[in-house]
Amino acid sequence: MNGATKDTDRKRPRYISDRKGFFSAEQAERTRKRSREMEKKVRTRLSSAKGRAKALAYFDELMRYDGVRAVELKEFREKGGKVVGTLCVMVPLELIEASGAKHIRLCSGYYEPVHPANELLGDAGLCPLVKSTLGSKMVSSDPLVDMADMVAGPATCDGKMKLAEMLEDWVPVVMMNLPRVKLGGTSSELWLNEVLHLKRKLSELTGRKVTKKALVERIRKWNEASELWNKVCDLRKGKDPPISGQDAMLVVQASQSDDIDRWVVKVRELLKELEEKVRSGGSVAEKGSARILLMGSPMIYPNFKIPSIVEESGGSIVTDELCTGFRLMADPVLLDDLSEKEIYSALADRYYFPCSCPCFSPNDERLTRLFNAITTFGVDGVVFHSLRGCHLNNLEATKIELALRERGIPMVKLESEYDEGDVEQVRTRVEAFVEMLKARRKK
Amino acid sequence: MSDFKGRNIRPLRLASQLLGVAFVLSLLIGIPTFGTFPVLRNIFLPNASCRYINSAPTSCYYYQVQDGLVQGSSGFYLDLLILLLAVVIAIVLLGRFWCSWLCPFGAVQELLSWVRGLLRIPPLRLKWAHRVLLRRVKYTLLFLTVIISLPIGISALGISQCQSTLALPFCQVCPAKGFFTVSQQVLGLEPWGTTLPILAIVSLLLFLVSSFFLRNAYCRICPMGGLMALFGRVSLPYLRKDPDKCTKCRVCLRVCPMDHDRVYDEMERMDVAGEDCTLCGRCVELCPEEGCLSLTYGPYDLVSSRRPRKRWWSLPLNKTRENGK
Ligand code: SF4
Ligand code: SF4
Ligand code: SF4
Ligand code: SF4
């Protein structure tokens, strides 16, 4: 009945028949080492930033390579606990917690694991985030990723959908048929059924029934978290943002793998410190820096290349339109009726309708969110980044650029890979852009 | 119910609804004070100030309309026109505020919904096509009332003998008639068995059952609502939406007891009240976007949505029942 016994009769691997022998131990070791080095570099850079809030140290520790979270989860699993990996922002984390399992975000921001995936797939045009995630699993280079007992993968873009399918070679995967054409009632129903399917799979995995009580309790907790996150973001509306764009992304991404109860406590501490900072007029941005909105493809820690370049070039990221940033926790689940059916439909709706992922069509919500953010955060210019091979964001960039032009908001479009090779080239463009914004403002 | 929301409009509305019920009842029962103010006898309220109460000094306004249609032919419908004019002015000034804030029918339906909620029974959700169909019913009822009442009153047509059976056509199927006739007989205010209005009793039962499962079931077909909806576009109170702030999260549509699609769909115009919105403000309470939805009177926003936060009554009160065994 439960997942464990099913494991034995799982289908044969489809993408790698010889899982163990495909890579040398050396390559695995090299991938691990480079990942560790990369993360350390990023962490050092982040934590040495001037005027950085002290409460952020917790999130550094949590997100570090081979950090506390992996150890905690290992212990949790030894006691029979189950861990569910998620691939996109549409998976209701409340549900995973209500089933007694813990969640981690699988998407990888490490550069090195791209190589093993390239060797297997030979697809240079595929999104590096997808390849990196696959690669980490292939050579087992990320201790956190290895904790997953099951994967929940909404079929968003082609890359993610096939990634979920490929991961099935290692762990059971629950594919979620995300209705990519938003049609109102019909799409809502379809997605609700997918969420209910996930619920059944989760109970099979943990051997526990997902009770309504537990779910409502988790929803309340996540609502609290969302409220806090919104408050943190509100502080960035003022002249002196007390937290950098990168740190904000770190915080919100931590929620995807942390225990949300603890996250809430830590963010509350952080909020207090930030509020204090605002009161005393402290700012992490230099005087006169250009206020930037960051959008485009996901940027998963430690791939903070683009935001770090922006913030080193005299830009201050005051908000973003990223699924790995503001959007992650922007929306609460608003319960109107406490019957089981209505709770699930409210939950499913929250993870579906307000999501402005470019995999959806129509996706005018993204423009609305963007323009709303531009006004409320006093944004000077938009940095649009797309990962090489992320067609969806590339396509939307055109539409967004035209819409921005109409409103007289400058935008720069960047493309990046998962390596350090393009840093200088990107930096030159960003610096020019920021200078232009500053000059514009003086006029 | 929900302890996580932006605004809290419901308590105010509840108070207003109770006042509405009390007011209508005191009109009906003819509390002595009202007797001394003859003006009050000319207050005709849309619903449930029912003519079928013996002591009622006044009547429901829809009764007056029907009556005017029948009796008016001799007086060139002057009375009716004056009444309509007064009502149109009232609708322009108050819009459908009547519905969610005062109407006793509305209050009873909400009471039933509330009980259903306590029993954790999910509301019936109609398909879009069925909702649209229902929406037409109220205009149809309005139309039928006129079509049936008018000719009866015109004596030249020689069908005035139908008066006894067909006059006041809507009253014959109005749940209020069923309710008040039966309850008066039960209370002994009226002798038993003086003509039982079978049709009206059936529709009373239908009313109770349907609005238990379907939120605001009766409002969807209420001809008074239809009349108000006809003037919805020009009335001063309305539901305002700032489409620039809407994230299309669909919360408003999910919580709207009238399934008023426009509040969600509309992305161009500011006025999203339209025919079906009863201005209950539920969507304003729960819309998570700051200043996106507002209850508005003319140029003034009465209350606007804001980012939801945890409310003080949160945890202890809202115990959810464990599902299953
Ligand atoms: S970045 Fe683009 S291609 Fe890559 S996973 Fe996301 S949507 Fe898909
Ligand atoms: S639609 Fe009719 S029954 Fe409903 S609240 Fe309005 S007047 Fe009352
Ligand atoms: S609740 Fe508010 S933000 Fe959400 S769809 Fe309705 S109007 Fe838009
Ligand atoms: S649209 Fe809003 S105010 Fe109008 S009836 Fe629906 S919930 Fe009430």
Side-chain angles (χ1 to χ4, degrees):
Chain A
M1 269 314 279
N2 60 26
T5 51
K6 258 193 183 159
D7 242 7
T8 47
D9 52 61
R10 262 207 354 264
K11 285 182 239 77
R12 289 190 54 228
R14 288 169 290 196
Y15 283 82
I16 310 179
S17 45
D18 175 14
R19 274 181 275 171
K20 291 272 184 290
F22 198 87
F23 298 103
S24 60
E26 264 158 53
Q27 182 163 16
E29 201 35 60
R30 187 171 63 235
T31 313
R32 268 179 229 131
K33 187 165 149 270
R34 295 221 175 129
S35 296
R36 184 190 301 272
E37 281 165 5
M38 171 194 177
E39 192 275 335
K40 183 146 183 245
K41 212 169 100 197
V42 174
R43 180 155 38 89
T44 326
R45 200 193 58 230
L46 282 182
S47 54
S48 59
K50 194 159 59 35
R52 190 182 195 238
K54 289 192 189 52
L56 284 165
Y58 165 78
F59 301 96
D60 291 334
E61 275 311 304
L62 194 95
M63 296 294 275
R64 68 181 281 175
Y65 183 85
D66 210 359
V68 280
R69 192 58 184 158
V71 179
E72 275 175 13
L73 288 181
K74 197 153 169 263
E75 282 165 12
F76 175 67
R77 288 179 78 211
E78 274 158 12
K79 281 191 228 121
K82 299 287 179 194
V83 175
V84 177
T86 61
L87 283 177
C88 268
V89 295
M90 297 81 173
V91 185
L93 301 183
E94 293 91 333
L95 191 57
I96 296 181
E97 290 181 359
S99 76
K102 293 194 190 294
H103 46 79
I104 49 170
R105 181 74 184 261
L106 291 183
C107 301
S108 162
Y110 292 97
Y111 294 167
E112 195 57 28
V114 168
H115 300 303
N118 260 341
E119 270 168 50
L120 175 71
L121 302 172
D123 184 350
L126 182 66
C127 156
L129 187 154
V130 167
K131 285 192 282 198
S132 171
T133 312
L134 178 67
S136 333
K137 194 69 216 176
M138 285 165 68
V139 298
S140 176
S141 68
D142 188 339
L144 205 57
V145 170
D146 277 347
M147 292 297 134
D149 296 298
M150 188 173 102
V151 172
T156 47
C157 65
D158 294 354
K160 282 284 182 74
M161 180 166 88
K162 285 292 154 182
L163 171 65
E165 185 184 312
M166 289 185 275
L167 288 178
E168 201 149 42
D169 282 7
W170 290 270
V171 275
V173 173
V174 181
M175 290 287 271
M176 300 180 79
N177 187 6
L178 184 81
R180 304 208 308 177
V181 181
K182 277 189 191 165
L183 277 180
T186 27
S187 322
S188 170
E189 216 166 285
L190 205 160
W191 181 239
L192 171 64
N193 283 324
E194 292 298 306
V195 170
L196 292 174
H197 176 240
L198 176 65
K199 171 197 171 193
R200 283 194 294 279
K201 288 289 169 189
L202 284 169
S203 322
E204 269 176 31
L205 179 76
T206 60
R208 251 167 71 175
K209 206 169 159 202
V210 182
T211 64
K212 191 164 83 177
K213 191 173 165 197
L215 183 59
V216 170
E217 196 266 324
R218 288 291 85 194
I219 287 177
R220 290 207 164 108
K221 200 69 201 178
W222 276 86
N223 281 352
E224 199 184 334
S226 152
E227 193 186 342
L228 279 173
W229 168 240
N230 273 299
K231 277 186 183 157
V232 169
C233 291
D234 279 350
L235 293 178
R236 300 157 74 194
K237 286 180 181 163
K239 206 166 81 318
D240 300 310
I243 182 170
S244 72
Q246 297 173 73
D247 285 337
M249 277 162 69
L250 180 78
V251 169
V252 76
Q253 288 182 22
S255 71
Q256 304 294 294
S257 305
D258 199 1
D259 266 334
I260 199 67
D261 300 68
R262 189 171 60 186
W263 188 91
V264 163
V265 173
K266 295 295 176 184
V267 172
R268 193 164 280 136
E269 279 167 24
L270 173 69
L271 188 64
K272 236 197 220 140
E273 195 179 339
L274 295 180
E275 276 165 352
E276 190 49 49
K277 219 183 183 66
V278 170
R279 239 173 279 130
S280 60
S283 166
V284 289
E286 335 165 358
K287 271 260 158 317
S289 55
R291 296 173 71 86
I292 303 283
L293 180 146
L294 191 61
M295 69 187 302
S297 300
M299 295 168 208
I300 301 272
Y301 182 83
N303 174 29
F304 278 8
K305 175 164 52 182
I306 303 291
S308 74
I309 294 175
V310 171
E311 299 199 309
E312 281 159 13
S313 314
S316 156
I317 300 170
V318 287
T319 184
D320 63 68
E321 209 292 317
L322 292 170
C323 63
T324 46
F326 178 66
R327 206 196 296 153
L328 259 183
M329 295 187 87
D331 302 279
V333 177
L334 293 162
L335 298 176
D336 181 46
D337 189 294
L338 289 180
S339 60
E340 179 137 349
K341 187 169 154 228
E342 291 290 307
I343 293 171
Y344 278 98
S345 102
L347 181 71
D349 277 6
R350 137 75 176 88
Y351 279 92
Y352 180 69
F353 283 102
C355 184
S356 49
C357 171
C359 71
F360 290 119
S361 185
N363 192 23
D364 298 335
E365 295 85 292
R366 201 175 190 199
L367 286 175
T368 322
R369 277 210 191 234
L370 173 64
F371 291 130
N372 198 12
I374 287 177
T375 7
T376 45
F377 286 85
V379 168
D380 295 323
V382 172
V383 172
F384 193 105
H385 153 261
S386 88
L387 288 168
R388 180 144 309 140
C390 177
H391 305 305
L392 295 170
N393 273 300
N394 244 324
L395 287 168
E396 288 224 331
T398 313
K399 172 179 86 181
I400 287 163
E401 184 161 27
L402 289 175
L404 283 170
R405 195 182 295 161
E406 247 166 51
R407 305 206 178 193
I409 308 280
M411 168 181 136
V412 65
K413 189 180 160 213
L414 308 169
E415 210 175 14
S416 85
E417 256 296 349
Y418 262 27
D419 60 43
E420 302 281 346
D422 48 12
V423 166
E424 288 319 309
Q425 189 198 343
V426 169
R427 192 185 301 277
T428 324
R429 293 194 58 202
V430 171
E431 275 170 359
F433 181 67
V434 169
E435 280 318 308
M436 187 267 286
L437 291 180
K438 285 183 180 166
R440 243 172 79 104
R441 207 164 43 176
K442 279 199 197 100
K443 259 187 260 161
Chain B
M1 184 71 64
S2 75
D3 51 6
F4 194 82
K5 57 179 166 184
R7 292 284 178 187
N8 201 19
I9 303 172
R10 198 171 250 187
L12 196 66
R13 199 157 63 79
L14 190 68
S16 167
Q17 280 175 316
L18 288 177
L19 266 176
V21 173
F23 183 62
V24 167
L25 280 182
S26 57
L27 272 184
L28 283 176
I29 302 164
I31 286 179
T33 19
F34 286 119
T36 57
F37 291 106
V39 208
L40 288 169
R41 289 171 182 270
N42 289 318
I43 296 181
F44 306 119
L45 295 171
N47 261 335
S49 43
C50 186
R51 187 72 193 90
Y52 291 88
I53 260 199
N54 271 348
S55 55
T58 174
S59 80
C60 148
Y61 139 80
Y62 205 61
Y63 175 92
Q64 290 295 323
V65 171
Q66 298 173 79
D67 199 44
L69 281 169
V70 176
Q71 307 297 337
S73 63
S74 48
F76 301 103
Y77 299 103
L78 215 59
D79 288 349
L80 181 66
L81 285 178
I82 291 172
L83 179 73
L84 279 180
L85 193 68
V87 162
V88 168
I89 291 173
I91 293 177
V92 169
L93 290 180
L94 291 173
R96 284 190 84 166
F97 259 125
W98 163 264
C99 290
S100 271
W101 293 73
L102 292 165
C103 176
F105 271 41
V108 171
Q109 291 175 84
E110 264 184 62
L111 184 75
L112 290 169
S113 275
W114 180 69
V115 173
R116 174 188 49 69
L118 286 186
L119 297 174
R120 305 286 183 251
I121 299 171
L124 189 70
R125 297 226 177 237
L126 295 180
K127 290 223 161 36
W128 178 78
H130 299 157
R131 301 206 299 259
V132 174
L133 202 71
L134 266 192
R135 254 166 227 172
R136 304 219 174 106
V137 172
K138 59 176 176 286
Y139 300 118
T140 314
L141 285 177
L142 199 58
F143 179 73
L144 281 180
T145 313
V146 176
I147 278 296
I148 297 176
S149 300
L150 261 183
I152 296 175
I154 302 173
S155 43
L157 289 178
I159 47 171
S160 22
Q161 65 270 29
C162 300
Q163 276 212 17
S164 53
T165 45
L166 276 179
L168 310 169
F170 183 73
C171 286
Q172 308 311 321
V173 294
C174 176
K177 180 180 177 185
F179 176 73
F180 288 118
T181 331
V182 173
S183 57
Q184 283 182 102
Q185 296 186 356
V186 169
L187 291 174
L189 294 172
E190 224 177 73
W192 263 110
T194 30
T195 59
L196 263 186
I198 301 296
L199 264 179
I201 291 174
V202 169
S203 71
L204 171 68
L205 290 177
L206 265 178
F207 167 82
L208 293 176
V209 173
S210 61
S211 44
F212 179 79
F213 290 107
L214 179 64
R215 298 171 303 169
N216 282 13
Y218 183 71
C219 291
R220 293 166 198 251
I221 58 162
C222 168
M224 254 77 67
L227 192 62
M228 288 185 242
L230 286 180
F231 298 93
R233 274 289 155 98
V234 291
S235 65
L236 285 172
Y238 65 101
L239 182 69
R240 196 174 66 82
K241 171 167 172 178
D242 186 347
D244 290 345
K245 294 183 176 152
C246 173
T247 61
K248 285 278 177 189
C249 68
R250 218 178 160 83
V251 166
C252 48
L253 184 54
R254 183 161 46 77
V255 304
C256 174
M258 291 292 282
D259 292 314
H260 180 52
D261 300 86
R262 261 191 73 198
V263 65
Y264 170 71
D265 289 337
E266 186 67 67
M267 285 305 265
E268 318 253 299
R269 292 173 53 112
M270 289 283 212
D271 178 357
V272 291
E275 53 170 354
D276 257 350
C277 171
T278 61
L279 301 176
C280 71
R282 189 68 183 142
C283 54
V284 179
E285 282 185 315
L286 284 162
C287 168
E289 296 305 315
E290 198 90 29
C292 180
L293 289 177
S294 324
L295 283 183
T296 302
Y297 192 85
Y300 308 105
D301 282 349
L302 304 177
V303 53
S304 306
S305 59
R306 69 168 176 215
R307 179 137 351 102
R309 57 197 169 87
K310 203 154 126 198
R311 295 292 177 155
W312 55 266
W313 64 81
S314 301
L315 291 168
L317 279 178
N318 274 301
K319 275 189 238 101
T320 45
R321 207 184 301 163
E322 192 90 21
N323 63 337
K325 306 121 249 168

